[in-house]
Amino acid sequence: MVIRLTAISVTAICLLVARFKIMGAQLPVFTKFDNPAAVSDTPIRQLTYNYLLPVNVWLLIFPSDLCCDWTMGTIPLVESFLDPRNISTLILYCVLGAMMWLILTSDSKHSQLITVSLSLLILPFLPASNLFFPVGFVVAERVLYTPSMGFCLLVAYGWYLLYKKVGRKSYIIFCIGIVLLFHSMKTVLRNKDWVSEKEIFAAGLKVNQRNAKLYNNVGHALESQGLFKEALQYFLQASVVQPDDIGAHMNVGRTYNNLKMYDEAEQAFWKAKNLLPRPRPGEAYQARIAPSHLNVFLNLANLISRNGTRLQEADALYRQAIGMRADYIQAYINRGDILIKLNKTAEAQEVYEKALKFDANNPDIYYNLGVVHLEQGKLPDALAFFDKALDIDPEHEQALMNSAILIQESGNLQKRKIAYDRLNKLLQKGKANERVYFNLG
């Protein structure tokens, strides 16, 4: 038994070490939506962490209400010692204590089997228990796969003891058959939930209506099918369930934009932006923001820039996004486009050149630099940048078109074949329009 326990313990330690290696010896950073208890105060955090243990055990004993995502508000925080859910925590610890007492007082064969079973059940679960570091979920069914081996050993041993002690053995066999039958039926039914992305998240909503992420994911699935009105209802519900969820408001805004309801889209994007952490006057902005949340600046600025009188406002949003993340390439590119529209080509050139410092192999940046030099009347330089964009991405459609037009207008007979090939490539790609046909002619 000592050898078995040592093997299990060493394996668990190796897995922990490997996990730290993968994370670069740094703890992962999660938001309050991933694991609300992790950012709660004492004793709420400890009470909730302990309550999650019987929740996981219940999923092993009675895996009926399964959900693909247990983050956000799925399980409300245990905020008081008087919360009745604490009773289940006490019961679990009493059961574990009784089993430990059984190990110490039983014969060696009996205690060895229970010890090995409990070791397989508990040790693999420890990294997901928030004991060593906060994890990025409230409950995750996947982390129960390995512990379920120890649980199955305990269940099998329990049936074995009943089979030996109960006189009517056919009754025990019948009960085991019923348990296996119902679990098999549950497996078949659960497989139907995994038919598609929409179905698995919709199945989660049947179990839990407090998780905004589930509403968002059903909305994403409908959005990918072009069902924007249906998707909007789920995104709106997500913003109601979790009013401080930035992503939900961004989804609402994007969907309104797709439905060409621009005023409503702008309101939703402003709500999302106002939920971002605000800098303190006179201090550098140090809050950590999810990269996807920074897209609210781009979405809002792109929407605002539809109005030619609000270009300065859009430029301010792009500058704010760059101030929060210096290597935000798309913000540089979009800001440069706005500056070109404002006839500030020199400033646009500086913006694109800064972007190149962070990504020297981005064809869009070189293409935009070509546009800047084209606006400045520096045609050879513009063509050089278009060619550079094509060196990186030979299929860059805008660079193919504009470089071909520049070559044609330059009157350089030696390069006319290059212009023809580039226009013909657009024709073969099915991207031809009247400009392609005109310049080919």
Side-chain angles (χ1 to χ4, degrees):
M1 184 181 74
V2 174
I3 296 176
R4 292 176 181 175
L5 288 177
T6 302
I8 294 173
S9 301
V10 170
T11 302
I13 292 172
C14 289
L15 289 173
L16 280 173
V17 172
R19 178 66 180 268
F20 277 115
K21 281 280 188 181
I22 292 172
M23 296 188 302
Q26 292 182 344
L27 292 178
V29 177
F30 301 113
T31 67
K32 64 178 181 179
F33 302 117
D34 299 317
N35 188 351
V39 295
S40 300
D41 297 326
T42 301
I44 297 174
R45 181 171 65 254
Q46 289 76 14
L47 290 174
T48 304
Y49 281 166
N50 280 278
Y51 171 66
L52 294 179
L53 299 178
V55 170
N56 281 279
V57 171
W58 182 248
L59 284 174
L60 288 171
I61 296 173
F62 191 67
S64 175
D65 293 335
L66 299 177
C67 184
C68 59
D69 191 289
W70 293 81
T71 56
M72 305 189 89
T74 302
I75 299 177
L77 297 172
V78 181
E79 298 182 347
S80 168
F81 287 102
L82 300 178
D83 192 311
R85 290 176 293 173
N86 290 321
I87 297 174
S88 60
T89 305
L90 292 174
I91 292 173
L92 175 63
Y93 282 121
C94 288
V95 170
L96 289 175
M99 296 187 76
M100 295 299 295
W101 177 257
L102 193 63
I103 291 172
L104 295 173
T105 58
S106 301
D107 61 81
S108 59
K109 182 178 179 182
H110 187 70
S111 63
Q112 283 181 13
L113 201 150
I114 296 178
T115 301
V116 171
S117 300
L118 283 178
S119 299
L120 277 173
L121 176 64
I122 296 172
L123 290 178
F125 182 74
L126 288 179
S129 66
N130 293 288
L131 179 62
F132 300 109
F133 45 75
V135 295
F137 51 82
V138 179
V139 173
E141 294 161 13
R142 62 184 180 275
V143 303
L144 297 177
Y145 292 159
T146 305
S148 67
M149 293 189 295
F151 177 76
C152 288
L153 280 175
L154 287 173
V155 171
Y157 188 53
W159 281 114
Y160 170 72
L161 293 177
L162 285 174
Y163 184 79
K164 285 183 64 178
K165 292 182 179 180
V166 176
R168 299 177 62 181
K169 301 189 183 303
S170 58
Y171 178 75
I172 297 299
I173 295 173
F174 174 77
C175 290
I176 294 174
I178 291 295
V179 171
L180 291 175
L181 175 64
F182 276 96
H183 278 74
S184 300
M185 291 172 60
K186 177 62 179 179
T187 302
V188 172
L189 293 174
R190 184 62 172 165
N191 286 338
K192 294 182 179 179
D193 294 337
W194 286 91
V195 169
S196 66
E197 183 182 24
K198 176 181 175 296
E199 291 300 323
I200 187 59
F201 292 123
L205 283 176
K206 295 176 183 177
V207 174
N208 169 33
Q209 292 84 41
R210 295 185 297 272
N211 189 335
K213 189 182 290 187
L214 292 173
Y215 288 102
N216 280 324
N217 285 329
V218 174
H220 286 312
L222 292 169
E223 186 181 30
S224 66
Q225 299 172 17
L227 303 173
F228 298 118
K229 289 184 178 179
E230 293 83 350
L232 179 61
Q233 299 307 313
Y234 282 95
F235 291 143
L236 286 171
Q237 185 60 31
S239 66
V240 171
V241 171
Q242 193 79 42
D244 57 349
D245 181 13
I246 297 172
H249 293 290
M250 289 176 63
N251 292 334
V252 170
R254 186 181 62 255
T255 309
Y256 273 133
N257 192 40
N258 289 329
L259 292 170
K260 302 187 186 306
M261 301 171 67
Y262 301 119
D263 291 339
E264 292 84 351
E266 183 175 345
Q267 291 176 11
F269 286 138
W270 277 116
K271 283 183 181 179
K273 180 181 178 297
N274 291 334
L275 287 171
L276 292 172
R278 297 186 179 183
R280 296 179 180 178
E283 294 183 13
Y285 195 88
Q286 295 180 340
R288 298 189 66 173
I289 299 176
S292 59
H293 289 171
L294 281 178
N295 288 336
V296 68
F297 291 95
L298 270 63
N299 293 332
L300 186 55
N302 291 342
L303 187 62
I304 287 174
S305 63
R306 293 171 53 87
N307 185 340
T309 63
R310 300 181 68 185
L311 295 180
Q312 294 283 3
E313 190 177 348
D315 181 44
L317 286 168
Y318 289 131
R319 282 190 280 110
Q320 192 173 353
I322 293 170
M324 291 183 174
R325 182 180 169 188
D327 62 344
Y328 200 178
I329 301 300
Q330 196 57 49
Y332 283 105
I333 293 174
N334 289 12
R335 188 186 175 218
D337 294 343
I338 293 294
L339 291 171
I340 291 174
K341 292 178 182 179
L342 291 169
N343 294 320
K344 298 180 179 180
T345 55
E347 194 172 343
Q349 182 177 343
E350 291 180 9
V351 168
Y352 291 135
E353 289 172 351
K354 283 183 181 178
L356 278 180
K357 295 178 181 178
F358 298 105
D359 188 359
N361 294 310
N362 190 315
D364 291 332
I365 299 175
Y366 287 104
Y367 169 77
N368 287 328
L369 278 169
V371 173
V372 167
H373 285 86
L374 192 62
E375 292 287 332
Q376 294 173 346
K378 301 175 182 178
L379 303 187
D381 292 336
L383 181 58
F385 280 113
F386 290 149
D387 288 341
K388 179 63 177 178
L390 290 171
D391 288 340
I392 298 171
D393 180 11
E395 305 296 320
H396 198 287
E397 296 167 10
Q398 293 170 305
L400 286 170
M401 167 67 76
N402 287 293
S403 62
I405 293 175
L406 270 183
I407 291 172
Q408 177 187 324
E409 292 178 350
S410 70
N412 190 330
L413 298 179
Q414 296 178 344
K415 292 186 175 182
R416 183 167 293 178
K417 177 67 166 58
I418 297 174
Y420 174 82
D421 290 341
R422 290 179 179 178
L423 291 170
N424 197 46
K425 179 180 282 191
L426 289 172
L427 196 64
Q428 292 173 355
K429 285 167 61 70
K431 301 294 182 179
N433 54 32
E434 67 278 2
R435 294 179 68 200
V436 173
Y437 287 113
F438 176 80
N439 285 286
L440 272 172

